[in-house]
């Protein structure tokens, strides 16, 4: 199926865990979480274009003060899960017959008010024209990256 230009998904991005053959019958928690995530991603009807950008928005911890949350909103998320594992998981779930048709896959991870994942077809919208604030979940913490 053709991918829409922008897909906004209400889901927390998750990296693909390292799996071994025994995971087919063992019930390791990390693998069970990943399988539930994969099922949810498919249920949302996500489609992966040949050239894409995945923006993963991660909810800030409730323990952060309001000032800290304001400072960190839309800043780089530099803790686990790592972006390459997120991409691997998305590609494996949305391209079950192989990902040979993919030629440009990128990611960004940022802190936000709540969890969300956005998949953007970069053939239709160049990466230089993409602003992470455009699809950010917002609860009054939004500040434009363009200085408006």
């Amino acid at each position: 199926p053709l991918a829409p230009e922008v897909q906004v998904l209400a889901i927390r991005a998750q990296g693909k865990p390292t799996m071994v053959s025994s995971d087919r019958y063992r019930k390791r928690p990390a693998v069970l979480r990943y399988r539930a995530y994969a099922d949810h991603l498919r249920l949302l009807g996500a489609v992966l274009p040949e050239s894409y950008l995945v923006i993963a928005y991660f909810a800030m911890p409730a323990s952060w003060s309001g000032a800290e949350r304001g400072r960190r909103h839309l800043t780089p998320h530099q803790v686990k899960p790592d972006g390459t594992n997120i991409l691997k998981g998305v590609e494996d779930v949305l391209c079950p017959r192989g990902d040979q048709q993919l030629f440009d896959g990128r990611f960004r991870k940022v802190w936000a008010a709540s969890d969300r994942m956005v998949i953007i077809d970069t053939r239709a919208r160049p990466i230089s024209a993409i602003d992470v604030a455009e699809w950010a979940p917002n609860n009054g913490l939004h500040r434009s990256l363009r200085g408006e």
Side-chain angles (χ1 to χ4, degrees):
L2 290 176
E5 183 180 323
V6 176
Q7 301 166 73
V8 179
L9 309 167
I11 189 170
R12 182 178 179 88
Q14 182 176 325
K16 182 173 183 177
T18 302
M19 292 196 262
V20 295
S21 60
S22 64
D23 284 327
R24 277 183 240 140
Y25 55 86
R26 281 181 53 207
K27 306 290 186 216
R28 287 192 309 143
V31 174
L32 293 176
R33 279 192 305 273
Y34 174 73
R35 289 179 182 157
Y37 163 77
D39 291 343
H40 190 194
L41 199 53
R42 283 189 287 270
L43 184 67
L44 291 172
V47 179
L48 198 60
E50 297 168 345
S51 176
Y52 65 90
L53 169 66
V54 170
I55 304 174
Y57 297 92
F58 288 92
M60 292 177 266
S63 61
W64 286 1
S65 69
E68 180 70 9
R69 293 169 72 83
R71 270 194 308 279
R72 294 280 195 103
H73 188 64
L74 300 181
T75 60
H77 178 275
Q78 297 175 305
V79 294
K80 288 185 176 188
D82 68 271
T84 54
N85 283 348
I86 291 171
L87 285 188
K88 182 64 176 156
V90 169
E91 289 175 356
D92 287 354
V93 170
L94 301 181
C95 300
R97 291 186 174 84
D99 54 12
Q100 63 274 4
Q101 76 278 8
L102 303 176
F103 62 87
D104 186 16
R106 301 175 191 213
F107 65 88
R108 291 185 186 160
K109 300 185 317 171
V110 295
W111 291 109
S114 59
D115 295 324
R116 177 177 287 176
M117 187 163 55
V118 177
I119 301 173
I120 302 167
D121 185 341
T122 54
R123 294 170 301 169
R125 185 183 287 230
I127 290 193
S128 61
I130 295 171
D131 180 359
V132 297
E134 189 172 346
W135 300 282
N138 188 358
N139 70 349
L141 294 173
H142 177 77
R143 54 185 174 104
S144 173
L145 296 179
R146 292 176 276 217
E148 296 171 349

